[in-house]
């Protein structure tokens, strides 16, 4: 039987248009009408197209054309085919495809009751499957790591003392309280982290359990086995549900003996908007019986973290997690490099003029901090990613027998690192290991990355041992690195472990790659040299349970280590120990005015503007600026803040309208001769409901290519223009906008122009926001509604700012 290599319709864009008689321009439709699946049989050069009508109207398919090169085309189908809603049509044709090339499939159809003509275009690209290196490995099951009953007992009593506890519960609570007083230290490290994780684990389980819907009403979609679930059916707001969350549909039926039995059908959430779209493994008995929906917790991450603690318990972890000058003087015997490198030929030209980057790379290559982690402290725009890439390349070149694991908390960061490494490393020597959940984002990934990954066939596949042994650089997320243990990869496989975005993950998560593939359990030591990269001044771990926010569970490994004497600045010379940490200082991203506030507030004024004027000064003099010499705007508006009844998230429609106006102003004409495109603009807002609302509004305007997201989603990202909708209005507090690190992130994403939209009277209640408003007012950056800024309620009034009236400016 011949192998079929399948793409999942790797479309870079999808356009649908309706030609209406009497209208010169066709009407664009934001959602595709057809679902397209593509399979290509390489040995026989046979292309199979499966097309399904996913709209609720009967359509007549007239023609399917395949365009390639500039004007060439192949006719796949021509005739009259009636396609009722959900109807699937399959067609095969011989055609020789070239890999890494774009082809356009055009569907021509019409509605039978009118003269409207519908044209839909899908751009597809076919991967070039690489030769398999070896047989696929089997993934061993993770240990269950069940939560002990005594932990649940204490949790349910809200961690209060009680004479009614079981003996184990009393002892557990006593130890836990003692550890909280002590804080993390070498003697309680593993057990305390395990305790905190068990609390988080059980809290998440109870949260998901509370979403159970006893009698669910589902509406079938046009696509088989897909159903819509309205969010008003949940007994509590499902704030932890997300795309990919598991669903169990339970129905009761009677067997032939009249006994009741439960039928369980599994599924998952594939889309979450006003309604939740669920895809099930088999059809549901809608209308025939009562359906109960459960949303079980995916405990995989917790299980991986418990496993990491077991691995760490087998080595002398104190030199890694509690390094000091004393325990670094006598280094543990390890696989240290025999030759110290001092001369480097740089791969990236950007490195040539930056002494701090060069110093960090030299020390990383020479393992000067080993066995302690080396910290690369990278404030916004200072070239942290560039430094990581160069360090990996230098290790790859100078130490030809070494293996390198490169991890990050997000797939976006992993793909960015992979893309940059591929410019210099042969495709045979780098492997991008992706999780099964990455399949749903396959259309958004670069083909060059997919082709060196375990999704090179267009779908997820388990790697072979040769994928790890025959390549020297492995890139994956910190959590997916735990899969290497399940696949049987040796824990001492890698000599260097890079953990990017380390400041945004909890400490236990950062231990996953270290414990999984960085330990030499035979000699009870750390095998790998660990490099932690990130910024403790930006967003930290996401902790949902309020009780844990005041514990070490809410602190990253990077942030905690930076507070140890070994990594702190020397009080005598105000400098870091460069053998263990380097702070990058040159900002290559933004106009000086855009990062000056964060520089003064969070980085001791040490950052230096190094970005090119061509990249950062094009907005200077734009007619939309209140101060033509200052590329920032604060648009004052007293909008109405509305809370969503289901998600409990907030939106502000008044602010969203202002966002749309700024977007259209930037796009409709050039800014000082520079054309602004949708990809140049990023919109950041703290609330998920506002993100959804703004996305919908932009889609209605035909502007789907503008990225809208939260501060968490934009951390590590950059755009030429950043528009911030703060949402908060007419409240006594500013909610989680009071997190200084969140403010630091949103204020350091833009290259050339930052626009903030919000209620200054609300925002000024926070002292850090007040300082920002003060900075903007001093530079005459306000427009919109008049307001009296006055003095910060938590600071001494400044004579120069007391009762300051900010003049209004018409917005047109």
């Amino acid at each position: 039987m011949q192998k079929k290599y399948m793409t999942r319709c790797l479309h870079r864009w999808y356009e649908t248009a309706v030609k209406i008689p009497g209208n010169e321009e066709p009407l664009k439709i934001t959602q595709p009408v057809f679902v397209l699946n593509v399979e290509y049989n390489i040995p026989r050069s046979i292309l199979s197209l499966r097309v399904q009508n996913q709209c609720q109207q009967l359509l007549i398919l007239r023609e399917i054309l395949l365009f390639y090169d500039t004007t060439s085309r192949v006719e796949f189908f021509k005739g009259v085919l009636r396609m009722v809603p959900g109807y699937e049509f399959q067609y095969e044709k011989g055609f020789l495809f070239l890999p890494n090339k774009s082809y356009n499939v055009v569907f021509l159809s019409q509605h039978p009751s009118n003269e409207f003509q519908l044209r839909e275009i899908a751009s597809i690209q076919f991967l070039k499957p690489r030769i398999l290196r070896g047989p696929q490995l089997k993934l061993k099951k993770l240990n269950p790591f069940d939560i002990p009953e005594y932990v649940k007992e204490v949790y349910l009593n809200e961690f209060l003392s009680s004479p009614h506890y079981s003996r184990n519960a009393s002892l557990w609570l006593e130890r836990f309280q003692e550890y909280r007083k002590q804080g993390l230290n070498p003697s309680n490290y593993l057990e305390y982290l395990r305790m905190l994780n068990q609390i988080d684990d059980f809290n998440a389980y109870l949260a998901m359990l509370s979403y159970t819907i006893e009698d669910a009403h589902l509406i079938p979609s046009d696509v088989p086995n897909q159903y819509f679930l309205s969010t008003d059916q949940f007994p509590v707001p499902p704030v932890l549900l997300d795309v990919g969350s598991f669903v169990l549909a339970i129905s009761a039926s009677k067997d032939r003996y009249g006994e009741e039995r439960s039928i369980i059908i599994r599924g998952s959430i594939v889309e979450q908007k006003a309604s939740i779209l669920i895809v099930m493994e088999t059809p549901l008995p809608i209308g025939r019986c009562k359906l109960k929906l459960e949303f079980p917790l995916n405990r995989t991450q917790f299980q991986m973290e418990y496993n990491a603690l077991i691995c760490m318990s087998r080595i002398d972890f104190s030199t890694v997690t509690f390094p000091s000058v004393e325990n670094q003087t006598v280094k543990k015997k390890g696989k240290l490099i025999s030759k110290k490198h001092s001369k480097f030929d740089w791969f990236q030209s950007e490195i040539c003029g930056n002494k701090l980057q060069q110093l960090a790379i030299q020390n990383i290559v020479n393992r000067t901090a080993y066995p302690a982690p080396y910290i690369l402290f990278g404030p916004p725009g200072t070239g942290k990613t560039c430094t990581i890439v160069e360090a990996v390349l230098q290790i790859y070149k100078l130490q030809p027998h070494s293996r390198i694991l490169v991890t990050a908390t997000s797939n976006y960061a992993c793909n960015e690192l992979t893309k940059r490494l591929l410019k210099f490393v042969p495709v045979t020597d780098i492997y991008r290991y992706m999780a099964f959940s990455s399949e749903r984002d396959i259309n958004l990934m670069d083909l060059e990355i997919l082709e060196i990954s375990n999704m090179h066939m267009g779908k997820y596949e388990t790697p072979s041992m040769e994928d790890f042994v025959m390549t020297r650089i492995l890139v994956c997320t910190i959590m997916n690195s735990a899969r290497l243990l399940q696949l049987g990869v040796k824990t001492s496989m890698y000599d260097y472990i890079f953990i990017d975005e380390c400041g945004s993950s909890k400490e236990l998560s950062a231990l996953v790659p270290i414990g999984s593939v960085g330990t030499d359990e035979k000699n009870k030591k750390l095998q790998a040299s660990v490099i932690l990269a990130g910024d403790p001044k930006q967003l930290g771990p996401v902790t949902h349970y309020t009780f844990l926010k005041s514990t070490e569970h809410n602190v990253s490994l990077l942030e905690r280590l930076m507070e140890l004497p070994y990594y702190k600045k020397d009080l005598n010379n105000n400098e870091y120990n460069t053998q263990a940490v380097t702070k990058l200082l040159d900002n290559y991203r933004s106009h000086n005015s855009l990062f000056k506030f964060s520089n003064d507030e969070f980085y001791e004024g040490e950052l230096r503007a190094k970005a090119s004027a061509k990249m950062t000064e094009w907005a200077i003099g734009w007619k939309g600026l209140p101060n033509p010499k200052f590329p920032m705007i604060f648009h004052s508006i007293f909008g109405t803040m509305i809370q969503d009844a289901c998600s409990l998230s907030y939106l502000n429609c008044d602010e969203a309208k202002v966002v749309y106006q700024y977007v259209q102003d930037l796009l409709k004409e050039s800014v000082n001769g520079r054309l602004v495109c949708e990809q140049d603009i990023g919109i950041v807002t703290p609330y998920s409901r506002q993100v959804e609302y703004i996305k919908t509004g932009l889609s209605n305007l035909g502007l789907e290519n503008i990225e809208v997201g939260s501060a968490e989603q934009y951390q590590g990202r950059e755009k030429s223009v950043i528009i911030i909708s703060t949402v908060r209005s007419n409240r006594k507090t500013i909610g989680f906008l009071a997190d200084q690190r969140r403010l630091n992130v949103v204020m350091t994403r833009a290259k050339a122009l930052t626009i903030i939209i919000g209620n200054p009277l609300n925002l000024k209640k926070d002292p850090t926001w007040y300082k920002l408003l003060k900075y903007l007012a001093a530079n005459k950056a306000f427009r919109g509604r008049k307001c009296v800024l006055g003095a910060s309620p938590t600071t001494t009034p400044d004579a120069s700012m007391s009762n300051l009236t900010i003049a209004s400016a018409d917005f047109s």
Side-chain angles (χ1 to χ4, degrees), residues 115-134:
E115 299 179 19
F116 296 172
Q117 295 180 346
L118 186 143
R119 181 192 68 206
E120 185 156 297
I121 305 172
S123 176
I124 63 173
Q125 289 178 283
F126 287 81
L127 297 173
K128 181 182 179 181
R130 58 177 171 77
I131 299 173
L132 296 176
R133 295 189 178 105

Side-chain angles (χ1 to χ4, degrees), residues 369-494:
Y370 177 86
Y374 191 94
I375 292 180
L376 182 63
F377 180 2
T382 53
K384 172 179 60 67
T385 304
C386 180
T387 308
I388 293 172
V389 169
E390 187 69 33
V392 173
L393 293 171
Q394 292 297 336
I395 295 166
Y396 174 81
K397 174 187 174 184
L398 299 172
Q399 299 177 35
H401 299 293
S402 63
R403 283 197 179 89
I404 309 155
L405 172 63
V406 183
T407 70
T409 56
S410 68
N411 275 304
Y412 173 84
C414 287
N415 291 340
E416 181 63 27
L417 288 163
T418 305
K419 195 190 310 181
R420 296 196 192 191
L421 287 167
L422 278 172
K423 294 177 182 178
F424 306 97
V425 178
V427 294
T428 53
D429 243 347
I430 184 169
Y431 187 64
R432 172 73 172 94
Y433 180 30
M434 299 185 186
F436 178 77
S437 59
S438 299
E439 256 200 11
R440 62 175 176 256
D441 299 320
I442 191 171
N443 290 329
L444 305 176
M445 297 181 194
D446 291 340
L447 294 180
E448 60 179 350
I449 295 173
L450 288 173
E451 287 172 356
I452 60 158
S453 76
N454 56 316
M455 292 209 295
H456 67 109
M457 305 291 251
K459 60 180 180 179
Y460 173 86
E461 291 189 344
T462 308
S464 66
M465 185 60 73
E466 288 77 8
D467 286 324
F468 304 113
V469 174
M470 295 175 64
T471 56
R472 290 186 51 208
I473 301 173
L474 172 66
V475 186
C476 64
T477 62
I478 59 173
M479 297 316 302
N480 212 38
S481 66
R483 297 293 189 194
L484 273 67
L485 266 182
Q486 293 178 261
L487 293 169
V489 176
K490 291 181 180 179
T491 56
S492 57
M493 169 77 83
Y494 292 92

